[in-house]
DNA sequence: CGTTAAGCGAGACGGTACGTCGCGTCTTGCG
DNA sequence: CGCAAGACGCGACGTACCGTCTCGCTTAACG
């Protein structure tokens, strides 16, 4: 997560104050209204210090966001693939549902088309690892015979995450349990999985 | 599409010059770098005139974008639901693939979380009509017995558009025909449609 | 005095507010502590407006200073060259003696070695005209026979202004009447003028 | 010249590197562009070390400048007061004519109005001693009858140095020999000295 | 077939935030 | 323990755009 040049002398307290201030402001004003000036003022930190360690506002929020998302959407294997997918997706839906994370993530996504480096970072740190984890869980289900051997697992994951992003981006957030359950069932069925 | 107060004296040439300049700049610099100042300068139009007719930069681009998207993604009914869905989705993928429309749309989407009015406009003018059209096409297939009567058509449409948005937002655009075909097949299968 | 690009639309009230604020701040804090930010805030004017019409802080103060100096140090011709020189120099001494003009002028002078354009402006607008006026007054005295025909009038003026600047720069300001009188007498005697 | 707290452990090599770097930068960029940061970087010295031994940028340059000026403008007594004054003033003119000393001195002078302590230091170390020396030389000439007993020697010195400063400050440097000669002659004549 | 009010270009204005620079203070670890 | 290295809070820099606001000018509709 460290986007900085290597340094042994970085002030951890400045780092924390910056990340916290950034998320607070994101909640209070919305991503678009957050400014580096305000983060610096709120955190009691100089702008120079922020620019020293992060290339942009989005990078600050990304760091805060990532720290948190990882722990909120675990990937467990209880043997029941449908249940595990529901658990995972429900975690993601819940994270996006609560400020400041939903708005913050929407804001970060919005920068991806203007900032190649950020896009690369987001994919490498946030998207790809979780995507791979999801594929991995499906593969283990496949090995246990719950899913046909020729199923397209990558596509399946995209079909799971896709509607979630679609709704988030268009600000029609998913309404938790019921929606998620139906989505998982449909995706599994599309793979030719045996009905439960 | 006209967001303006009614007027008989509005200059059509200024309108066109503004929209064209906005799209040009979006191609050249990317959405995030487009400014009202630059649009005005490029179009040879005064800032006042732009503010008179549009509430924001996004509204300008939305107008230009919408004009164009509608004609590019028609909804036909050939009797073959899989084929028609592929045709429609392929149109959408192609629009998003070419500058300036992909970047412009990404930019517009990015404003949705900061601008409630724009979000409402986008949903009403752009998203909902096409969503409804897609549901309608599925329903007619349902009536023809190609899809079971209890299928969740709304969810189906979200599963179709979802991956497309997911990929667009994350800047991993879909690679056209093959991807689209597999996606349509999976979604139809998830509805319990008879295999072709 | 107008250092601006030609414009018919310049706001006179902004101009005045800027100049007044600049002089006030110069009095309160001293030249070195005056900042463009503070001038703008005090004057209720945007920084952009200041930068639009003046190239630097010194230029702002120069304009205010010049407006004022010209009227304070008139050159009259009473027929008595010694008396007229005393009148003129005393005016200059007095201007430099009162805040904010003394400190402001010292500040402007201090920029002259870092800012070629300002140096040129100061010489053209402030120094040379008054120098020439002084030479002119001496010449008319020369024509009236009060000064020998071969006297070096340029040098004379430098000998008059020199000590004044010397003292001002080194912050040992002249103590008015007596000092000025002696200086004038010595300079006239150095020219070979008849004693009074 | 040492403005430091007493210390036996001060590094002479740091001192030299600092002074040299300061003068170099003054030549390259002009006084106004010299910064402590740059001096430290150029000298390979930490900022802390500079702040430990000097109170300000001007103090650094003053130390470098003074070291050098003293030796360049000697006061000799050959018995001919006009000649000795010319020698002395010509030395001063020459010092001011060559970078980095002219610009450096102008820079130092410019700080005098913002920095009372520096002003005091400059007067005590640089100005007053040379002023007194000049008065002393005139007095010895007076005792030898070359100058009338009631001549105002202080004023005379100001008339000598004044034009030199006037010209330096306004960046119209004196052109050496001829100018200096005429100035000295006029000042002596103004004192009522016998013509040579 | 003028008159007159609008839309228009130009761009100045008060603002906010930008990203950078240098200040002077401070801490860390090397020699 | 003095030093280099350099992070830190601070605050000003000069720039870019924002959205609002006159200005004259053109220009089409109505009287």
């Amino acid at each position: 997560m460290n986007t900085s040049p290597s340094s042994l002398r970085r002030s951890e307290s400045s780092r924390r104050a910056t990340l916290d201030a950034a998320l607070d402001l994101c909640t209070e004003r919305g991503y678009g209204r957050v400014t580096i000036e305000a983060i610096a003022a709120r955190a009691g930190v100089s702008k120079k210090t922020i620019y020293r360690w992060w290339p942009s506002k989005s990078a600050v929020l990304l760091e805060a966001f990532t720290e948190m998302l990882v722990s909120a959407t675990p990937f467990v294997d209880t043997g029941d693939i449908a249940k595990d997918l529901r658990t995972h997706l429900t975690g993601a839906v819940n994270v996006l549902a609560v400020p400041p994370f939903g708005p913050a993530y929407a804001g970060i996504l919005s920068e991806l088309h203007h900032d190649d480096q950020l896009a690369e970072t987001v994919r490498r740190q946030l998207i790809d690892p979780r995507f791979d984890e999801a594929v991995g869980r499906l593969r283990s289900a496949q090995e246990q015979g719950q899913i046909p051997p020729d199923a397209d697992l990558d596509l399946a994951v995209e079909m799971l995450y896709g509607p979630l992003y679609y709704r988030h981006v268009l600000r029609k957030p998913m309404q938790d349990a019921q929606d998620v359950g139906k989505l998982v069932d449909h995706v599994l069925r599309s793979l030719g999985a045996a009905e439960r």
Side-chain angles (χ1 to χ4, degrees), chain A:
Chain A
M1 199 62 256
N2 190 355
T3 56
S4 72
S6 65
S7 167
L8 299 175
R9 317 271 283 284
R10 177 169 189 181
S11 157
E12 175 58 21
S13 68
S14 291
R15 197 187 83 99
R16 269 264 57 87
T18 301
L19 296 177
D20 293 347
L23 284 179
D24 285 357
L25 288 166
C26 211
T27 310
E28 291 173 21
R29 312 188 180 176
Y31 177 88
R33 302 301 201 251
V34 175
T35 64
I36 300 269
E37 301 255 346
I39 296 173
R42 172 77 60 103
V45 143
S46 79
K47 285 200 293 176
K48 177 107 190 192
T49 297
I50 296 181
Y51 284 112
R52 192 159 16 227
W53 302 112
W54 292 280
S56 66
K57 172 177 71 166
S58 334
V60 176
L61 286 168
L62 176 57
E63 182 161 337
F65 184 72
T66 306
E67 274 189 358
M68 186 272 167
L69 179 66
V70 171
S71 62
T73 58
F75 244 108
V76 295
D77 187 342
T78 67
D80 179 348
I81 180 64
K83 182 179 159 199
D84 290 355
L85 289 175
R86 276 199 301 272
T87 303
H88 175 75
L89 280 185
T90 301
V93 167
N94 286 340
V95 168
L96 293 183
V98 313
F101 298 103
Y105 192 46
I108 292 164
L109 290 179
S110 83
E111 302 294 324
L112 261 48
H113 278 83
H114 321 142
D115 184 337
D116 292 347
Q117 191 186 319
L118 182 71
E120 174 57 22
T121 305
V122 167
R123 279 195 296 254
R124 208 183 51 248
Q125 294 187 346
L126 211 57
I127 306 302
D128 291 349
R130 328 197 62 66
F131 194 99
D132 294 345
E133 249 185 322
V135 171
R137 180 64 191 82
L138 284 170
R139 181 165 303 122
S140 90
Q142 201 175 35
E143 286 159 4
Q144 293 164 19
Q146 298 176 25
I147 295 174
D150 62 343
D152 185 332
L153 303 185
D154 282 17
L155 178 57
V157 177
E158 281 182 7
M159 290 174 74
L160 290 167
Y161 277 127
L164 197 148
Y165 273 73
Y166 174 79
R167 296 265 216 137
H168 183 57
V169 166
L170 296 177
R171 299 180 59 187
K172 301 175 160 180
M174 298 194 84
Q175 296 306 323
D176 209 357
Q178 186 178 358
D179 287 347
V180 169
K182 285 204 303 196
L183 175 60
V184 168
D185 291 348
H186 276 74
V187 170
L188 288 178
R189 196 186 314 154
S190 80
L191 298 179
E195 300 287 325
R196 286 170 300 163

